[in-house]
Amino acid sequence: MKDIADIPALMAQIGTQAKAASAELAFAPPDIKRAALEAAADAVWARRTEIVEANKKDLDFGRNKSLSDAMMDRLMLDEDRIQSIVTGLRTVAAQDDPVGEVLTEWDMPSGLNIRRVRTPLGVVGVIYESRPNVTADAGALCLKSGNAVILRGGSESFHSSSAIHACLVDGLKSVGLPEAAIQLVPTRDRAAVQELLTMIDTVDVIVPRGGKGLVGLVQREARVPVFAHLEGIVHVYVDAAADPQKAMDVVMNAKTRRTGICGAAECLLIHESLVESLGTALVQMLLDAGVRVHADETLAKIAGTTAATAEDWGKEYLDMDIAAKVVPDVDAAIAHIRQYGSNHTDCILTEDDGTAARFFERLDSAILMRNASTQFADGGEFGMGAEIGIATGKMHARGPVGAAQLTSFKYLVEGNGVTRT
């Protein structure tokens, strides 16, 4: 990869091309977009060996940068993960097209008929770290929702993202859609990010997908609107009325299935009545699995735990670590989550409907779960096929951001020669 001397000029050109492409995508027929995504899926599978070889270069780059095991796991692609990318592309392709959907319709006494219909946002900028699969997810969802997208992948995933992006372009070309509909910034230079954040004339929204440092930078410096969350500080509360087997299964999966994703559990809250029974069993299970348990004073009595410090509450480990604390009741769990959570995903394990209802109504996380692993907190598991990220803000998009959340709306107003008195 050669350094590009004039980053501002490069980004300005990419933005202009994206804006022009978005105008065409806004009215592209659903069957054409579907065919482009199917062709892209075919290309990804046909070129899987090439993608894996490109990924090896990125893994070497990551090792040289001493990336954590969790980050390396996010970065790695094998045939199974490429199959998941293909499945995600096909799932998005098969979904109903959101563009033009009538959200509501009504008639006014004046004789006006008014419809509120979905319309694309325009140009979406996606800035992400490590995960090369985001290239496919973001490209597919933006295309489905009629948006052009500018992808700026992390330096770690440069080669993998480029290989996947080439497949998406193949899909666009196969149906005659503009290649500029899905563009990948062709440089690792961080100056490109700074430019993208200020391209108010050509970019309509920025979606950051990465750690606290990246998302914080975007939120501080962007002049373009942002869909974002800072961290996935995910809590699991084990209530007095929890089913022991469900609790063991869910806690283990929520923490250890993949520690490097934003839906991984980071804090375990245990009802005080369970300390000597299920609570101890849960902590021991995690210890036996190789998890470092940062325990409060009560749980620190269990051999093998590490005494928690103030910094452990509200910490996103993204690794084989979890904070653990005893609470007297569901209200104390709610208070802890309100103080230390990030409004991303939180879970209650209980068989008591009233307690679950209280947990659901008094917390305002984007995703609240009961008796289910927090590892399900992504768009693919919500039936969205893929996601462009998890938004924890309260304006416009929230939770898994799929194709429908990448639209706004407009009003179509019709009359029959109506005039206003």
Side-chain angles (χ1 to χ4, degrees):
M1 179 191 66
K2 295 181 179 179
D3 291 335
I4 297 172
D6 195 342
I7 297 295
L10 167 71
M11 296 306 296
Q13 180 183 24
I14 288 174
T16 299
Q17 292 172 339
K19 192 171 182 66
S22 72
E24 291 189 46
L25 289 182
F27 56 85
D31 59 330
I32 295 297
K33 291 186 284 184
R34 184 181 303 113
L37 291 172
E38 288 286 357
D42 290 342
V44 168
W45 189 244
R47 298 168 66 172
R48 61 190 181 277
T49 301
E50 176 184 332
I51 294 170
V52 169
E53 288 302 312
N55 186 244
K56 288 178 180 177
K57 296 179 183 178
D58 290 334
L59 292 172
D60 288 340
F61 183 85
R63 278 187 286 271
N64 290 335
K65 287 187 65 177
S66 300
L67 294 184
S68 67
D69 290 344
M71 291 292 283
M72 290 294 286
D73 177 65
R74 287 184 174 197
L75 181 59
M76 189 272 290
L77 291 177
D78 56 17
E79 190 160 295
D80 286 343
R81 291 189 180 180
I82 292 173
Q83 179 61 68
S84 294
I85 291 173
V86 171
T87 300
L89 287 168
R90 296 198 194 285
T91 301
V92 173
Q95 291 174 348
D96 292 338
D97 195 300
V99 180
E101 175 189 355
V102 178
L103 299 172
T104 186
E105 181 177 6
W106 66 96
D107 294 312
M108 294 296 293
S110 61
L112 296 179
N113 172 261
I114 303 174
R115 287 172 289 153
R116 184 189 298 144
V117 302
R118 288 194 187 277
T119 187
L121 295 173
V123 177
V124 180
V126 183
I127 303 169
Y128 53 102
E129 296 174 325
S130 293
R131 294 183 185 173
N133 64 289
V134 176
T135 305
D137 292 349
L141 290 168
C142 288
L143 178 58
K144 186 72 174 184
S145 53
N147 296 292
V149 62
I150 300 171
L151 302 166
R152 203 290 184 176
S155 59
E156 303 90 349
S157 63
F158 184 83
H159 296 289
S160 309
S161 296
S162 297
I164 294 169
H165 171 252
C167 298
L168 298 176
V169 172
D170 285 349
L172 294 170
K173 291 163 60 176
S174 72
V175 297
L177 288 175
E179 293 180 35
I182 303 174
Q183 296 181 81
L184 181 70
V185 177
T187 177
R188 288 187 170 117
D189 195 321
R190 292 184 179 182
V193 173
Q194 299 294 336
E195 289 296 323
L196 186 56
L197 297 179
T198 62
M199 291 166 54
I200 56 175
D201 292 331
T202 53
V203 178
D204 295 281
V205 66
I206 296 287
V207 181
R209 182 90 180 262
K212 184 177 182 178
L214 169 67
V215 180
L217 168 73
V218 170
Q219 291 183 317
R220 287 192 306 273
E221 300 190 11
R223 293 178 60 197
V224 179
V226 177
F227 291 166
H229 75 272
L230 273 177
E231 296 173 279
I233 303 171
V234 175
H235 292 78
V236 177
Y237 166 56
V238 186
D239 183 54
D243 177 278
Q245 190 58 55
K246 291 179 186 177
M248 297 288 279
D249 292 343
V250 170
V251 170
M252 176 63 87
N253 186 265
K255 177 67 258 181
T256 67
R257 174 186 166 271
R258 288 187 69 187
T259 59
I261 68 173
C262 59
E266 305 289 22
C267 184
L268 179 65
L269 302 175
I270 300 171
H271 191 280
E272 63 182 7
S273 68
L274 303 175
V275 172
E276 301 299 329
S277 54
L278 179 59
T280 296
L282 288 167
V283 171
Q284 191 61 57
M285 172 189 69
L286 292 168
L287 291 170
D288 292 344
V291 178
R292 292 170 289 275
V293 179
H294 303 259
D296 72 352
E297 290 182 0
T298 302
L299 296 172
K301 297 173 184 177
I302 301 172
T305 59
T306 301
T309 67
E311 288 71 33
D312 286 304
W313 314 121
K315 185 171 184 177
E316 185 181 35
Y317 298 103
L318 297 175
D319 209 338
M320 287 287 279
D321 294 80
I322 194 167
K325 181 179 181 179
V326 173
V327 292
D329 53 30
V330 67
D331 288 335
I334 290 168
H336 182 94
I337 294 169
R338 284 177 175 171
Q339 181 175 357
Y340 296 106
S342 59
N343 294 326
H344 187 292
T345 300
D346 296 294
C347 172
I348 182 171
L349 300 173
T350 187
E351 299 304 303
D352 187 304
D353 292 344
T355 302
R358 190 176 185 87
F359 188 86
F360 276 11
E361 79 178 1
R362 299 193 176 206
L363 284 173
D364 195 33
S365 305
I367 303 170
L368 289 167
M369 293 182 162
R370 175 188 181 187
N371 296 339
S373 172
T374 57
Q375 296 264 338
F376 283 106
D378 65 62
E381 298 298 330
F382 278 34
M384 297 177 181
E387 64 172 36
I388 204 170
I390 303 282
T392 54
K394 297 182 182 180
M395 301 300 289
H396 192 74
R398 198 165 197 228
V401 180
Q405 288 74 35
L406 292 173
T407 62
S408 182
F409 56 81
K410 59 186 175 184
Y411 293 94
L412 304 183
V413 183
E414 297 189 59
N416 189 23
V418 178
T419 59
R420 183 174 178 178
T421 57

